[in-house]
Amino acid sequence: MSPRSQATGKIRLARKPRPTDEPVTPTREAILRFVSEHPGKGTKRDIARAFEVHGEGRVVLKRILKELEGEGLIERRHRRFAEPGSLPAVLACDIVSRDRDGDLYAEPAEWDPDRGPRPRFIVVAMRRRRGEHGPAAGLGDRILARVVELPDGYEGLAKAGLRVVKVLEKKPEGVLGIVRVTDGGARLLPISKKQHEELVIDAADLGTAEDGDLVSVDVIRSGRFGLSRARVRETVGNLRSEKAVSMIAIHANDIPYVFPDAVIREADAAKPATMSNREDWRALPLVTIDPPDAKDHDDAVHAVADEDPANAGGYVVTVAIADVAAYVRPGSELDREALKRGNSVYFPDRVIPMLPERISNDLCSLKEGVDRPALAVRMVFDAEGRKKSHSFHRIMMRSAAKLSYLEAQAAIDGSPNDRTGPILDSALRPLWAAYDLLAAARDARGPLELDIPERKVLLKPDGTVDRIVTPERLTAHRLIEEFMIQANVAAAETLEKRRTPLLYRVHDQPSLAKLESLREFLATLDMKLAKQGHIEPDLFNRILERVDGTPQAYLVHEVVLRSQSQAEYSPVNIGHFGLNLRKYAHFTSPIRRYADLVVHRGLVTALGVGDDGLPDGAEDALPRVAEDISAAERRAMQAERETIDRLIAGWLADRVGAVFRGRIAGVTKAGLFIRLDETGADGFIPISTLGDDYFAFDEARHSLIGSRTGETYRLGDTVEVRLIEAAPFAGALRFEMISEGSAGRPLGRAAAMRAAKARKDRERKERTSKVRRGR
């Protein structure tokens, strides 16, 4: 290697010696070797520089490259030459797996099977280069990545390494839809709200799919005129036989719903826990209070007046939680599948559990009168509801009663039955007395008081909608909720004190951009939101109290709700803004949330009550676990919401043309989202159908305003709409506005442009804020 090569670190390939008066050119074999070994440096200029080709030698080099290309030995890709069939230097990949060491593996997003097995790469650089902003790539992401040399230590595990250039929005490999067979072929009814057109499937491309099947298709031709054509890739199932609209959401969101055989075998082989490392609490009359249709009971409660004279008026509250850690060991098949699922998913017609029924509905369910292992926390509260102390115990318990919320509430309200009557004074009244103390302390703490009604879809035996209800929120619900919150706080405090790794449940305060948007909105109602560095949830509570009972109450409630951040899991504690708590971790539902199982293992380790606690290296794995289960939680929420939308859209499909009363639940530059009062169903009105005027979006006022007339449609307005279209499988409803908008001042073109600029500025500030917070 020449001194110049040593200084620059560039590779100089051997070439035939030439007389000094001849142009210097490399051999054909040297060029082919260079192109093969340096896929990222294949331009004519790169090749000339590598072989130090100058002057007339460039003309000869150009001729050789043209010959090689004509013979098919190399191919041109834009300005670069590459080995035929080789991977490009930069390509789109999907991150498909993660090994036990935390390394991510990716595969090309598109691959021709004729080229052999799909290659696998290891992601060796998670972020972009210094100075470039962007999130780290994670499991399931689609990335634009540059192929790099494989680092030492990875031989045999992957074809090459990848450096992430950009995290891309992942596009689905296939389009999901419902087959409707017609003469000579079929149509595909899309299940996505974003895809409005049907697809044509020729008979030859239908495969084994039948009418009513949920299928995945590839779009094979998309012409300028007529419907696009598709070919069935996979038949997922038949909705008519399964009577399950939820299957659409399960497959559309890639939710695992079939347990592998190895997981079932491991669950079936599990034996009941013994008394080893446990205290015997079977005489303590703990009771479970759950919905009437609950199949798994993972929490039980007990309360008694404190007999300590130094704590007059205080209570001792015990919360016992199913000991899932005793059955789901780190690194087991059960554990890997639970982490993959992240949480249980609840649909109106089914539950996709995190753990097999042998574990969730049997061994870990705190059944009445049956011995069950548990982790319990005993908390002492004073007469003002302040926690004085707490202690954790690994126990064997026996539930004294299995009650529903309605049963327990009816007993307290004076209507006990045969089940609640015998335990009314010994168990239920002390629970309510203890809750009275905790409720007073909760009010003094001032958590965010957002009233979010929950709609529940009740189905008929055939799987169709029977009715939609909003369950009454009882004191019994609040009691269990507050006891669980206190137990979660105690778990976080104990693990932090023992310096044991844990996953916090964190909820950040609203971003500066969202606060500024809220401040501008409140100004339109002659309300002020003072600028201050540290904010408390009670600030929002006072805003809601000011508008309580006024026509603006719904509007303000919606805007305040949208200003809040989303809760998530993190090994780094930033507190829980909504609950106004400095330390908070999920401990009370390990049957249905993986985060709680991690906390249970931490407590086992911290208390030294077994060998089934946190595994070695758990602290290093927690950031990855937090990211995965937070994503699984968002996935579950989306799937549950989509299923309800589809069920309601199907229920209303035969009422097209009917008039409904509702509220404007969302305002965007594309149109209005309407929420019906009768059912809570959501639908859309495109802005182009509102009228003859040109409507502009005023983000500060959450309104669409006519540029000429000033006619205004505002978030929270009560309106009448006509149902124009219902797409059951997509869960989409389209309405037509019947009500006239309120009178207002014409926005005008200049004001509309200012509003658009302000919106873009806020969006930019929000993105900058997220980057600075490392999100």
Side-chain angles (χ1 to χ4, degrees):
M1 184 177 292
S2 67
R4 181 185 174 192
S5 300
Q6 294 175 358
T8 61
K10 295 181 179 179
I11 298 174
R12 300 291 182 240
L13 301 183
R15 59 187 186 276
K16 291 182 179 180
R18 302 270 186 177
T20 56
D21 58 342
E22 293 185 13
V24 179
T25 55
T27 65
R28 289 162 52 96
E29 294 74 17
I31 293 175
L32 291 175
R33 189 166 66 251
F34 178 88
V35 170
S36 175
E37 296 175 354
H38 302 82
K41 296 183 178 181
T43 66
K44 185 174 69 173
R45 183 177 181 182
D46 290 332
I47 298 171
R49 183 178 297 172
F51 292 97
E52 298 183 345
V53 178
H54 304 287
E56 294 182 3
R58 290 180 177 268
V59 177
V60 179
L61 175 62
K62 182 178 180 180
R63 176 177 54 79
I64 296 175
L65 291 173
K66 189 173 182 179
E67 290 174 355
L68 294 173
E69 184 181 4
E71 296 171 11
L73 298 176
I74 59 174
E75 62 184 20
R76 188 188 299 267
R77 296 175 182 172
H78 301 291
R79 297 176 55 195
R80 283 186 171 86
F81 292 95
E83 188 178 11
S86 64
L87 291 171
V90 177
L91 71 164
C93 291
D94 291 329
I95 299 180
V96 295
S97 65
R98 191 197 309 266
D99 64 17
R100 293 188 178 184
D101 296 326
D103 292 319
L104 294 172
Y105 289 84
E107 296 176 352
E110 297 181 2
W111 185 254
D112 184 356
D114 294 337
R115 299 176 62 182
R118 191 182 293 257
R120 177 161 290 200
F121 305 91
I122 188 165
V123 182
V124 297
M126 300 288 293
R127 293 183 180 271
R128 297 189 241 175
R129 289 172 291 185
R130 183 176 298 178
E132 298 178 356
H133 298 294
L139 191 64
D141 282 344
R142 175 161 292 181
I143 59 174
L144 183 66
R146 187 176 301 280
V147 180
V148 297
E149 294 183 8
L150 196 65
D152 293 336
Y154 291 109
E155 289 80 357
L157 298 180
K159 181 179 179 64
L162 294 178
R163 181 177 66 80
V164 177
V165 176
K166 183 180 182 181
V167 178
L168 303 173
E169 180 179 356
K170 186 175 182 181
K171 297 181 180 179
E173 293 185 355
V175 176
L176 281 175
I178 309 298
V179 171
R180 283 290 177 256
V181 175
T182 61
D183 293 337
R187 295 287 183 96
L188 185 81
L189 307 181
I191 64 170
S192 172
K193 293 181 180 180
K194 297 179 180 179
Q195 183 176 341
H196 303 290
E197 290 187 350
E198 298 179 3
L199 300 175
V200 174
I201 306 175
D202 293 333
D205 295 323
L206 195 56
T208 59
E210 300 177 353
D211 188 70
D213 280 350
L214 173 64
V215 299
S216 173
V217 303
D218 292 316
V219 179
I220 56 177
R221 187 163 67 253
S222 180
R224 295 179 59 187
F225 304 102
L227 297 176
S228 299
R229 296 185 176 273
R231 178 189 298 116
V232 173
R233 169 192 291 183
E234 177 187 9
T235 299
V236 177
N238 189 283
L239 297 186
R240 292 180 303 172
S241 62
E242 298 186 44
K243 300 177 182 178
V245 175
S246 57
M247 287 298 294
I248 299 175
I250 290 170
H251 288 279
N253 293 281
D254 295 325
I255 295 176
Y257 71 103
V258 177
F259 285 107
D261 292 340
V263 176
I264 296 298
R265 286 196 299 269
E266 194 170 278
D268 290 343
K271 304 296 182 183
T274 66
M275 286 297 300
S276 177
N277 291 310
R278 299 186 186 281
E279 302 173 37
D280 190 347
W281 284 23
R282 286 174 288 187
L284 188 70
L286 290 150
V287 299
T288 62
I289 305 177
D290 293 293
D293 56 352
K295 294 182 180 180
D296 53 22
H297 308 276
D298 54 6
D299 59 84
V301 293
H302 176 268
V304 65
D306 193 356
E307 298 179 353
D308 185 353
N311 190 32
Y315 270 80
V316 178
V317 174
T318 300
V319 174
I321 306 298
D323 191 356
V324 177
Y327 299 102
V328 183
R329 300 296 184 101
S332 65
E333 295 295 335
L334 280 167
D335 181 49
R336 280 192 286 270
E337 183 68 14
L339 176 57
K340 179 181 177 182
R341 297 183 176 219
N343 47 250
S344 298
V345 188
Y346 295 86
F347 299 106
D349 65 327
R350 67 175 67 196
V351 176
I352 306 300
M354 185 180 77
L355 298 168
E357 289 190 5
R358 167 66 172 158
I359 303 296
S360 59
N361 295 358
D362 185 9
L363 294 177
C364 286
S365 186
L366 306 182
K367 298 181 178 181
E368 181 178 345
V370 180
D371 292 358
R372 284 291 180 260
L375 273 175
V377 56
R378 178 172 284 166
M379 300 172 286
V380 180
F381 296 92
D382 64 20
E384 282 72 43
R386 294 188 295 264
K387 182 162 64 71
K388 293 172 61 68
S389 63
H390 71 266
S391 59
F392 279 89
H393 308 262
R394 203 171 200 185
I395 67 168
M396 186 68 74
M397 60 163 284
R398 183 182 297 158
S399 173
K402 182 187 74 171
L403 306 177
S404 71
Y405 288 111
L406 286 171
E407 272 186 307
Q409 189 67 57
I412 291 296
D413 293 342
S415 301
N417 59 19
D418 293 341
R419 296 172 53 79
T420 57
I423 62 172
L424 178 59
D425 291 328
S426 61
L428 296 182
R429 293 195 192 281
L431 285 172
W432 257 255
Y435 170 67
D436 287 341
L437 302 182
L438 270 62
R442 182 184 190 278
D443 292 341
R445 188 176 79 238
L448 187 59
E449 299 286 359
L450 285 172
D451 183 19
I452 306 175
E454 179 183 356
R455 56 177 174 166
K456 186 172 184 179
V457 178
L458 303 180
L459 303 180
K460 299 176 183 177
D462 64 357
T464 60
V465 176
D466 180 22
R467 65 187 189 277
I468 300 169
V469 299
T470 302
E472 181 183 2
R473 182 127 167 99
L474 305 172
T475 303
H477 292 104
R478 296 186 176 92
L479 180 151
I480 294 299
E481 179 183 274
E482 189 60 28
F483 283 5
M484 298 304 114
I485 288 174
Q486 293 299 330
N488 289 336
V489 171
E493 291 176 344
T494 294
L495 292 177
E496 197 172 277
K497 183 178 180 180
R498 301 288 183 96
R499 300 183 182 277
T500 304
L502 77 150
L503 285 178
Y504 295 93
R505 180 64 170 178
V506 298
H507 181 219
D508 204 355
Q509 67 179 28
S511 65
L512 295 178
K514 287 185 176 181
L515 285 175
E516 183 62 29
S517 179
L518 177 61
R519 186 175 293 109
E520 291 180 4
F521 160 72
L522 292 175
T524 67
L525 301 178
D526 295 326
M527 298 174 64
K528 292 184 178 181
L529 180 65
K531 292 186 177 182
Q532 51 194 65
H534 179 70
I535 60 173
E536 298 284 349
D538 197 50
L539 171 68
F540 300 101
N541 293 339
R542 292 196 299 270
I543 293 172
L544 298 175
E545 289 173 0
R546 286 182 58 185
V547 298
D548 188 29
T550 69
Q552 293 81 24
Y554 179 91
L555 169 63
V556 175
H557 183 96
E558 284 290 321
V559 177
V560 169
L561 175 61
R562 296 175 190 203
S563 70
Q564 304 304 310
S565 302
Q566 185 174 11
E568 58 187 4
Y569 296 103
S570 172
V572 179
N573 185 27
I574 61 171
H576 197 293
F577 177 79
L579 294 175
N580 200 14
L581 293 169
R582 295 176 59 188
K583 302 172 185 178
Y584 193 66
H586 273 167
F587 156 74
T588 54
S589 294
I591 287 178
R592 62 184 180 91
R593 293 186 307 222
Y594 193 83
D596 304 55
L597 176 57
V598 173
V599 169
H600 274 236
R601 289 171 176 166
L603 289 167
V604 170
T605 297
L607 301 174
V609 289
D611 60 356
D612 45 3
L614 291 173
D616 294 338
E619 187 171 8
D620 296 333
L622 286 184
R624 181 180 76 245
V625 172
E627 178 185 334
D628 290 348
I629 62 178
S630 293
E633 180 184 44
R634 293 190 293 270
R635 177 184 66 187
M637 292 171 61
Q638 178 171 319
E640 292 165 0
R641 183 171 57 250
E642 289 175 356
T643 298
I644 291 177
D645 288 344
R646 290 188 177 102
L647 285 168
I648 295 178
W651 190 40
L652 296 177
D654 60 354
R655 298 182 67 181
V656 171
V659 175
F660 298 89
R661 188 176 179 84
R663 287 182 181 272
I664 297 177
V667 182
T668 71
K669 57 185 177 182
L672 303 171
F673 289 93
I674 307 298
R675 182 168 299 148
L676 302 185
D677 294 342
E678 179 183 347
T679 62
D682 294 307
F684 188 65
I685 299 178
I687 193 172
S688 59
T689 67
L690 281 178
D692 296 332
D693 202 352
Y694 172 78
F695 285 86
F697 177 41
D698 188 330
E699 188 183 25
R701 292 177 171 82
H702 294 267
S703 304
L704 291 181
I705 303 174
S707 299
R708 177 173 50 82
T709 64
E711 185 179 12
T712 301
Y713 293 99
R714 189 175 197 178
L715 180 71
D717 284 353
T718 299
V719 295
E720 284 192 341
V721 296
R722 178 180 289 109
L723 180 59
I724 299 300
E725 181 185 1
F729 296 121
L733 300 173
R734 187 165 63 87
F735 296 116
E736 175 186 57
M737 181 67 73
I738 294 178
S739 302
E740 293 184 357
S742 59
R745 182 179 178 183
L747 188 61
R749 182 176 179 84
M753 292 178 65
R754 288 196 298 270
K757 183 178 183 301
R759 182 178 68 253
K760 291 180 180 179
D761 289 343
R762 271 189 292 272
E763 291 173 351
R764 185 175 64 254
K765 289 180 181 178
E766 180 68 15
R767 289 193 298 269
T768 303
S769 177
K770 288 182 179 180
V771 169
R772 288 176 177 173
R773 294 200 305 267
R775 301 199 169 191

